[in-house]
Amino acid sequence: MPIHFLRRSTRVSVAIALVAAWFAGAASAASVTTIPGMPSVTNPANLYSEAGASHLSPAVAGALTRVYVPNLRSDDVDVIDPATDKVVDKFPVGRSPQHIVPSWDLKTLWVTNNAEGRTDGSLTPIDPKTGKPGKAVMVDDPYNMYFTPDGKYAIVVAEAHERLDFRDPHTMALKFSVNAPECKGINHADFSIDGKYAIFTCEFGGKLVKVDMTNYKVLGYLTLDKHGMPQDIRISPDGKLFYVADMIADGVHLVDGNTFTKIGFIKTGVGTHGLYPSRDGTKLYVANRGSNLVHGPHHGKGSISVVDFATRKVVANWPIPGGGSFDMGNVSVDGRTLWLSGRFDDVVYSIDTTTGVVKSIPVDMEPHGLTVWPQPGRYSLGHTGNMR
């Protein structure tokens, strides 16, 4: 029977049912089919929803609230208590510690000691409940480290060899490797919303490389700028774009990951380097290192640019009073503080994410990829806390 012949009350009920069915279909259409073993995407409009302020996993219960700082030139780690802004511990690690990486299961922090040109690279585990290091594992050239979205493998980024080594995420035993010979200086990465691929930056080739995360093979390369120096990379909350920091271009490239094409560029500041989403997933904090050089001067033109994800516009810019070198780090549990290393100034910065006010804490020689712990989220994809 046509709907206009039904009684008014029945017509209303039918209309409500149709609207409900439409919304259910829309929600279903918007859902994300992830690779097997990867946790579901709770909110397809904001893949960072589970890493919101104070949204801590039971897996981090008992972890000390600390900032762990790898010092590249002094081969040690400084430990800062953010409640006092004081260094409360220090311990030696392997040669040339680059980043401190939370494990996929959130139970271990790994220091990537890549030994810079030598053959004695290693990974030092830190127990976040005690803040103390364990016995190092010998690993070839671990410049950086990520984890597959299903948690099955650790991905050690062997920068000097243009290679990704897929390892057991606990023992770090090598399982297999993927070579990326056109990606000179392979270093930072992020993953698609469904976990089907990752995009890695090629620091010394001005390129990106796209890697299949189910068949573990290179899918292709994209040249951003042959004279560029791409650094950190982060996906937008809706999973549609990748933001790629470029230290030479002084800004962020916008890349459509699915089509693997560059679609735009945002100018930020000198020496664009690190990228960190706000805890509510609305802003991207862009760390501008203050120099276009790999080894820059003290007191450079460092700044933070705040990019609005919705408009893709810079909405604030916070310089360092007296100059400095914002590098890498992450955001506090409550989202109120951005912690970054001062690569060329031997300090760590805490930045108020409301006012942009900067504080400096002296540390050892050439701090690099520090991490804040604990951080909200269900699991870590690596780096200094790529949480989802």
Side-chain angles (χ1 to χ4, degrees):
M1 182 183 294
I3 193 169
H4 60 271
F5 285 120
L6 297 175
R7 289 185 306 173
R8 184 178 182 278
S9 60
T10 304
R11 291 201 305 269
V12 171
S13 297
V14 171
I16 292 172
L18 289 172
V19 170
W22 184 89
F23 276 111
S28 176
S31 65
V32 177
T33 301
T34 61
I35 63 173
M38 175 182 167
S40 63
V41 178
T42 304
N43 180 2
N46 178 18
L47 55 79
Y48 299 115
S49 64
E50 299 308 295
S54 303
H55 198 164
L56 294 172
S57 165
V60 303
L64 297 174
T65 301
R66 296 289 186 265
V67 177
Y68 296 90
V69 186
N71 298 302
L72 181 62
R73 297 300 168 206
S74 49
D75 299 334
D76 55 19
V77 169
D78 280 315
V79 184
I80 297 171
D81 182 347
T84 62
D85 290 345
K86 303 290 186 183
V87 174
V88 295
D89 197 8
K90 180 192 294 288
F91 48 81
V93 290
R95 187 176 179 85
S96 307
Q98 301 282 0
H99 302 91
I100 296 182
V101 179
S103 63
W104 189 91
D105 63 9
L106 313 181
K107 295 180 179 180
T108 307
L109 304 176
W110 293 95
V111 188
T112 63
N113 314 299
N114 81 321
E116 289 202 321
R118 295 176 21 159
T119 58
D120 54 345
S122 64
L123 295 170
T124 302
I126 299 173
D127 181 344
K129 292 185 178 182
T130 65
K132 301 297 183 181
K135 184 179 180 180
V137 180
M138 302 308 293
V139 169
D140 188 21
D141 191 30
Y143 174 79
N144 208 342
M145 187 162 69
Y146 292 87
F147 294 87
T148 55
D150 57 8
K152 188 175 182 180
Y153 299 110
I155 308 173
V156 169
V157 182
E159 181 189 45
H161 305 302
E162 293 113 36
R163 192 183 70 216
L164 302 175
D165 290 337
F166 288 73
R167 295 177 175 270
D168 182 285
H170 305 292
T171 67
M172 296 300 160
L174 181 64
K175 298 301 181 179
F176 60 91
S177 297
V178 173
N179 292 307
E182 294 181 37
C183 189
K184 306 298 181 185
I186 189 169
N187 52 29
H188 301 105
D190 205 354
F191 298 77
S192 61
I193 190 171
D194 54 13
K196 292 179 181 177
Y197 64 84
I199 297 177
F200 285 78
T201 60
C202 313
E203 180 173 1
F204 304 120
K207 294 182 180 181
L208 305 176
V209 59
K210 186 175 180 179
V211 181
D212 187 320
M213 283 290 117
T214 56
N215 297 304
Y216 308 112
K217 64 179 182 179
V218 169
L219 295 172
Y221 298 88
L222 172 66
T223 299
L224 296 172
D225 182 338
K226 64 180 181 179
H227 300 297
M229 190 177 285
Q231 303 289 322
D232 205 1
I233 177 172
R234 275 302 178 99
I235 193 171
S236 62
D238 60 8
K240 294 180 179 179
L241 294 177
F242 287 78
Y243 288 68
V244 185
D246 191 321
M247 205 165 80
I248 299 296
D250 297 335
V252 180
H253 301 283
L254 302 179
V255 173
D256 184 313
N258 291 337
T259 62
F260 208 33
T261 54
K262 178 182 170 181
I263 66 166
F265 181 79
I266 303 170
K267 196 77 172 177
T268 56
V270 178
T272 308
H273 195 78
L275 305 174
Y276 307 96
S278 61
R279 288 285 169 219
D280 63 4
T282 64
K283 304 290 191 298
L284 182 67
Y285 303 119
V286 181
N288 305 303
R289 202 154 72 170
S291 173
N292 304 117
L293 304 174
V294 174
H295 301 289
H298 298 303
H299 310 301
K301 296 180 180 180
S303 66
I304 299 294
S305 299
V306 183
V307 174
D308 183 274
F309 273 124
T311 63
R312 303 175 194 168
K313 302 288 187 182
V314 174
V315 294
N317 194 277
W318 304 324
I320 307 175
S325 48
F326 286 136
D327 194 83
M328 295 207 144
N330 222 309
V331 183
S332 61
V333 170
D334 60 12
R336 296 177 182 176
T337 306
L338 173 62
W339 289 89
L340 295 172
S341 58
R343 181 76 178 268
F344 308 134
D345 294 273
D346 300 338
V347 296
V348 162
Y349 304 107
S350 68
I351 304 100
D352 186 306
T353 57
T354 300
T355 64
V357 171
V358 181
K359 296 180 182 178
S360 297
I361 302 167
V363 292
D364 222 321
M365 298 171 62
E366 201 170 333
H368 195 195
L370 69 79
T371 199
V372 179
W373 202 253
Q375 288 183 46
R378 298 167 297 168
Y379 62 101
S380 164
L381 288 169
H383 194 38
T384 59
N386 187 336
M387 310 295 293
R388 295 199 190 167

